[in-house]
Amino acid sequence: RRHTRYISVTGVQTCSLPISRIFGNIFRRFGQPMVCGEIAAGLILGPSVVGRFFPGAFHSIFDPAVGPVFSIMSQLGLIFLMFLIGLEFDFGHLKENRSAAFTISGTGIVFPFSLGLGLGYYLHSAMGLEGSPLSFSLFMATAMSITALPILGRIMIELNLNRTRLGAVTISAAAMDDASGWIILALITALVRSTFDPGRLAIMVISVLAYAAIMMLVVRPAIIKWSTGVLERNNGTLSLGAMATLIIGLLISAAITNIIGIFSIFGGFLFGAIIFDQEELREAINNRLRDFITTFFLPIFFTYTGLRTDIGSMTSLTLWGFGAMVLGAAILGKMGGCTIAARLCGMRRNDALMVGTMMNTRALMELIVINIGYDLGIVPKSVFFMLVFMAVFTTYMTVPI
């Protein structure tokens, strides 16, 4: 059984890595970012396509015995990925174009959040779901509100929009959305895990705030002082020992947030975010980690998501109708709300529509949120499929529009 498990894990890696690269390059030829193809590859490898048409090969490669191992690899990859996202998060965007960005960002959260909240209550009742309707509705509202800042940045660069005023306003609004989205997600995760117990929730929130303060006031200065000496001694590069020290710190940060009661990925993000302005250190870390994480761990995460996404869970036209409602509410809330807000800020109709379309991009960030909901037991398989479909559709529609 141990030999079978090893073969299966190796098979997962052997399949996911080349297929993700192939689909990434194919999608790039059609003007889409590579990550769109990588997401498609992960979904194709799952039960919706390979499992449906080649069940024998699917069960041989994705042996159920490797589920726990695959889950750990995916979670570990997410911690590293969120570390890089925090490291690359440019908080300077939050100061630029403040008025327009704040209006667009605020509308882009309030509109879809409100629609998601109402839709969540309706779906919970109409689908006869178990569990707390409030937890489900709050999670649906959060899922509707996400904008994928890293993917949006890639799209803007490929369309030469990143240096324009339109691009600056949009990326600033998306940055505000991103920061707000993670805070909302952390809060709702704490609410769900505390089972809405006021005392337990208060302890979790205070613990998170205290930990964030320690990271900013104690850990950040220590890392800056330590890394300055390391980089000077190694001509701007990180030694293996220094890289190991950073990774240990990252994993400790992830473990602490998990112990507090929110997911470990928040610890990864925070560990990167506290040193976002250290350009030399950021470049040295990227030189050591970025390529490996994006080529090895990211396809595994997409494949892991694909294994959870089963079109077979959509067993009736009614469910497909609910899926259409989820997609419609997501687009109406995010794209519609941000377009209206941009128009109110004095933008021309076409420019406002471009802002709304770009803010509607969800991609990787949404997939992370959806997986958290699934792990919390809030989202059943059918709703998981609906949300993944919504995340993929709203990402793929961005470049063509």
Side-chain angles (χ1 to χ4, degrees):
R1 185 173 182 79
R2 187 179 304 162
H3 178 71
T4 303
R5 183 176 299 178
Y6 173 79
I7 292 294
S8 190
V9 170
T10 306
V12 169
Q13 295 168 333
T14 305
C15 287
S16 61
L17 298 185
I19 291 176
S20 69
R21 302 304 295 175
I22 290 169
F23 274 83
N25 287 318
I26 291 173
F27 272 63
R28 179 185 277 176
R29 288 179 178 272
F30 287 97
Q32 294 277 12
M34 279 193 69
V35 70
C36 289
E38 292 169 351
I39 292 172
L43 296 176
I44 287 169
L45 286 172
S48 296
V49 180
V50 173
R52 191 176 185 86
F53 297 104
F54 307 99
F58 176 78
H59 291 296
S60 296
I61 297 171
F62 302 105
D63 190 300
V66 305
V69 179
F70 202 31
S71 174
I72 290 170
M73 290 176 65
S74 175
Q75 292 301 315
L76 190 62
L78 270 186
I79 292 169
F80 281 105
L81 182 65
M82 291 303 295
F83 169 63
L84 292 183
I85 290 172
L87 198 64
E88 293 291 340
F89 197 96
D90 188 355
F91 289 89
H93 287 310
L94 304 183
K95 299 176 183 177
E96 301 169 3
N97 310 289
R98 194 171 298 172
S99 177
F102 182 80
T103 302
I104 293 167
S105 174
T107 309
I109 291 175
V110 172
F111 270 38
F113 193 92
S114 301
L115 283 174
L117 195 65
L119 181 61
Y121 273 107
Y122 171 75
L123 289 180
H124 193 278
S125 173
M127 296 177 67
L129 301 180
E130 297 179 357
S132 166
L134 179 58
S135 297
F136 180 78
S137 301
L138 285 172
F139 181 80
M140 288 292 292
T142 306
M144 296 286 179
S145 308
I146 295 297
T147 292
L149 182 63
I151 308 306
L152 178 57
R154 278 205 225 175
I155 292 173
M156 291 174 65
I157 290 171
E158 292 185 18
L159 296 178
N160 295 316
L161 289 170
N162 54 311
R163 298 293 181 184
T164 64
R165 180 182 178 274
L166 178 69
V169 170
T170 307
I171 204 70
S172 300
M176 291 181 186
D177 254 26
D178 215 32
S180 302
W182 290 118
I183 292 170
I184 292 169
L185 182 62
L187 180 60
I188 288 174
T189 300
L191 276 169
V192 173
R193 284 195 158 180
S194 68
T195 60
F196 297 94
D197 180 279
R200 188 178 174 192
L201 176 62
I203 291 172
M204 290 173 72
V205 171
I206 292 170
S207 299
V208 170
L209 293 175
Y211 181 62
I214 291 170
M215 291 293 283
M216 284 297 298
L217 301 176
V218 179
V219 178
R220 171 181 157 83
I223 291 178
I224 292 173
K225 183 178 180 180
W226 167 78
S227 64
T228 301
V230 169
L231 294 172
E232 283 179 359
R233 290 192 299 271
N234 293 279
N235 299 317
T237 61
L238 287 173
S239 65
L240 291 178
M243 196 68 243
T245 302
L246 275 175
I247 290 174
I248 290 169
L250 167 63
L251 295 177
I252 290 173
S253 178
I256 290 172
T257 53
N258 193 54
I259 291 169
I260 287 172
I262 60 176
F263 277 89
S264 54
I265 62 170
F266 294 107
F269 177 81
L270 185 59
F271 195 79
I274 61 172
I275 52 174
F276 80 99
D277 57 347
Q278 303 301 301
E279 293 184 12
E280 191 176 5
L281 176 59
R282 184 173 68 236
E283 183 178 351
I285 293 172
N286 281 332
N287 288 338
R288 283 284 191 187
L289 279 181
R290 175 167 290 280
D291 289 345
F292 177 71
I293 290 171
T294 53
T295 57
F296 181 80
F297 278 119
L298 200 55
I300 287 176
F301 170 68
F302 289 143
T303 304
Y304 185 63
T305 302
L307 290 177
R308 292 175 158 193
T309 309
D310 187 2
I311 195 172
S313 63
M314 304 294 282
T315 54
S316 68
L317 286 176
T318 302
L319 287 177
W320 282 103
F322 291 150
M325 291 173 65
V326 169
L327 178 61
I331 295 174
L332 179 63
K334 197 74 169 180
M335 183 176 171
C338 291
T339 300
I340 292 170
R343 285 287 285 162
L344 292 175
C345 291
M347 289 189 181
R348 295 178 304 171
R349 190 190 316 168
N350 282 358
D351 287 349
L353 179 60
M354 287 173 67
V355 170
T357 303
M358 288 190 288
M359 291 293 290
N360 193 46
T361 305
R362 288 177 171 86
L364 175 62
M365 297 298 99
E366 180 75 2
L367 296 182
I368 293 172
V369 173
I370 297 167
N371 275 279
I372 287 176
Y374 191 87
D375 289 335
L376 285 171
I378 299 173
V379 177
K381 277 212 166 188
S382 55
V383 179
F384 186 86
F385 177 88
M386 296 175 197
L387 291 173
V388 170
F389 182 79
M390 178 268 285
V392 171
F393 191 93
T394 54
T395 303
Y396 288 179
M397 67 187 276
T398 302
V399 172
I401 292 178

